[in-house]
Amino acid sequence: MKITRTTPPRPLDVTALFPQLAPLARTATRLHPVPASPSPRHSSVGGPLLWPADEPWPHCEGPHEWYGTDPLMPLADLRLLRRIRAAAQGRDFTPQERETLARIEPPSTYPRPKPSLRPYDGSIALLPLAQLYTRDIPDLRTPAGTDLLQVLWCPFDHPPKSYMPRTVLFWRSAAEVTSVLAAPPEPPAVQYQGYLPEPCLLLPEQITEYPHPSDLSPDILSLLDDRGRWESAGDAVDSRYASYPAEFYGINLSVAPGWKVGGWVSWGLTDPIPQSCPTCDTEMNPLLTIPSHEWGSSDRSWIPYELQEPMIPARGGEPRPAQPAAIQIGRGYKQQLYVCPASPEHPHTELMQ
C-alpha cells in the first residue's frame, strides 16, 4: 500500500479576506521524510547519494571547534544508540541495553575535563544530508542539464560565522552517473547527535504559502490586525487568537513548518535578513529548509492527515513523526539554504532561524 502525506486545507481562504495577499502566493514542496532504507536512486534525507565512483568525496577543512559542552559521538556508537532506543519503544531497556547505553552515553561529571578546542584539525569527510531529484520535487529548479541536487554537510559548528553544520551543494545529471561510489568515507564523529541525519525516504507534496508576517508591508500588516475583517470568517479563526488575528495568520495560514523546498521562509530568531548572491548581488531565493521538527505545539494544524491519529509518543512525550530525520539545529531551530536564481552554481548562503 502506498504511503502518502496530505496537508489539511487551511482553516480558511486567506485571500478571500485579504485579496492583497493573492499576488504574494508561492508554491513550496513539503518533503515529509519517513524513516526508511533509501537507495542512491531515491530522493532522500540522510540516504546514500548517487555519487560517481571516480569523483573524489568532498571533505571539510575546518577548523572543527568543540567546546566540551557535549561529548563527541562516534557514528557507530550513535547508530547503535538509536537502534537500541527504537527497539525499546513501549518497554523498559534490558540489562544488556542499559550497559551498552552507559558505555555510549556515560553520566555527566563535573567539572568536565578540559576539552580539545580543535579535535580534528585535518579535513574530515562530509555526511550526506539530502538528495533531491527534479522528478519528485516540483519546486526544485536546477541548472540547465541537471536533474539532481545533492546536499552534504560537515557535522560540526563553524564559528565565528556559523553555529550550525556547514553545507555544500552539488548539481548533477543522474544519467551521467554510470558507476556509483559504494562505500563513501565518513567523519570519525559528530559534534551533536542531531547532526547525523536518520535515513528517510520522501513523500513530496506541493502546497501554497504566503509571506511570514515579518515579510509583509506595514499596510498589509495593519489590515491583518483589523479584527473586524476576521469576524466574517466566524469559527474558522481559533478563538485563542481573537485578540491577535495576525498571529493566527502567521501560524496557520502563511508558512508551513518542516522539511521543504522553495516557498517562503519563517523568521523568529532574527528579523528578516536579505540574502544577496555573493557573486552577482542578485536577491537569493529560498532553496531548502532543514528543520529540527516537522511541527511544534503551536502549528499542529499542519500535521498531515495520516499522522493525526493515532500518534505514538516516543520517550520524552514528543510524537515520533515530528522528528523523523533526527536532526536538531541549535536549540530546535531551522537551517535555511538560499540559492541564486540567476545562476544556481553561484555560492549559496545559509541562515539559522
Side-chain angles (χ1 to χ4, degrees):
M1 183 171 62
K2 184 178 179 180
I3 301 175
T4 60
R5 294 289 182 264
T6 311
T7 300
R10 297 301 79 212
L12 57 87
D13 178 5
V14 71
T15 60
L17 292 180
F18 304 97
Q20 299 85 349
L21 290 171
L24 304 178
R26 289 182 184 175
T27 58
T29 302
R30 299 189 75 184
L31 299 183
H32 298 304
V34 177
S37 299
S39 80
R41 298 290 175 179
H42 289 121
S43 290
S44 65
V45 165
L49 303 184
L50 190 77
W51 195 270
D54 58 354
E55 185 175 321
W57 187 262
H59 286 63
C60 178
E61 303 303 322
H64 303 106
E65 299 186 356
W66 175 59
Y67 292 95
T69 54
D70 292 280
L72 298 175
M73 182 72 75
L75 268 62
D77 282 355
L78 179 49
R79 287 170 176 146
L80 176 57
L81 180 148
R82 288 179 178 175
R83 288 198 298 271
I84 291 174
R85 288 177 174 170
Q89 287 293 332
R91 64 167 173 83
D92 292 333
F93 294 119
T94 66
Q96 182 179 5
E97 288 170 340
R98 292 183 186 279
E99 182 179 341
T100 303
L101 292 174
R103 175 186 64 80
I104 295 175
E105 290 189 302
S108 298
T109 58
Y110 296 94
R112 295 182 186 273
K114 185 176 181 180
S116 166
L117 291 182
R118 295 187 180 181
Y120 303 115
D121 279 328
S123 65
I124 65 172
L126 301 185
L127 279 172
L129 176 66
Q131 176 166 266
L132 306 174
Y133 287 87
T134 55
R135 65 170 189 253
D136 301 321
I137 316 296
D139 289 282
L140 181 62
R141 305 289 182 262
T142 60
T146 68
D147 61 357
L148 176 61
L149 168 63
Q150 295 170 326
V151 185
L152 299 92
W153 73 6
C154 175
F156 282 81
D157 291 341
H158 293 78
K161 289 186 176 180
S162 173
Y163 288 89
M164 57 185 176
R166 176 182 293 165
T167 56
V168 178
L169 308 184
F170 289 87
W171 308 90
R172 66 173 80 249
S173 167
E176 294 178 358
V177 182
T178 56
S179 179
V180 180
L181 182 64
E186 292 189 324
V190 295
Q191 183 173 359
Y192 301 112
Q193 294 185 24
Y195 287 178
L196 175 64
E198 189 70 12
C200 292
L201 285 171
L202 306 180
L203 302 174
E205 176 199 22
Q206 192 173 47
I207 61 166
T208 299
E209 294 187 328
Y210 298 93
H212 185 271
S214 297
D215 277 322
L216 292 173
S217 69
D219 289 344
I220 296 181
L221 275 178
S222 66
L223 294 176
L224 291 179
D225 283 326
D226 183 355
R227 282 182 277 178
R229 280 181 170 251
W230 293 93
E231 289 177 357
S232 62
D235 294 340
V237 180
D238 191 321
S239 59
R240 293 174 296 176
Y241 299 94
S243 298
Y244 309 98
E247 186 175 347
F248 175 79
Y249 163 81
I251 292 173
N252 297 285
L253 305 176
S254 62
V255 182
W259 285 85
K260 67 174 185 174
V261 169
W264 287 92
V265 299
S266 61
W267 304 96
L269 191 58
T270 70
D271 290 333
I273 302 174
Q275 298 295 296
S276 297
C277 176
T279 300
C280 66
D281 205 35
T282 301
E283 182 179 355
M284 308 278 268
N285 287 341
L287 173 64
L288 177 66
T289 299
I290 306 161
S292 295
H293 296 88
E294 287 295 282
W295 63 79
S297 58
S298 65
D299 51 14
R300 297 174 67 85
S301 73
W302 295 94
I303 299 175
Y305 277 130
E306 298 83 354
L307 297 178
Q308 292 181 5
E309 294 293 345
M311 275 197 275
I312 304 171
R315 292 179 182 272
E318 181 71 13
R320 284 180 298 179
Q323 203 173 18
I327 292 291
Q328 178 157 323
I329 305 297
R331 297 180 179 179
Y333 302 124
K334 297 177 287 291
Q335 187 167 345
Q336 296 172 338
L337 308 188
Y338 298 78
V339 69
C340 176
S343 182
E345 301 97 328
H346 287 173
H348 71 290
T349 62
E350 51 192 352
L351 281 177
M352 181 190 293
Q353 284 298 314

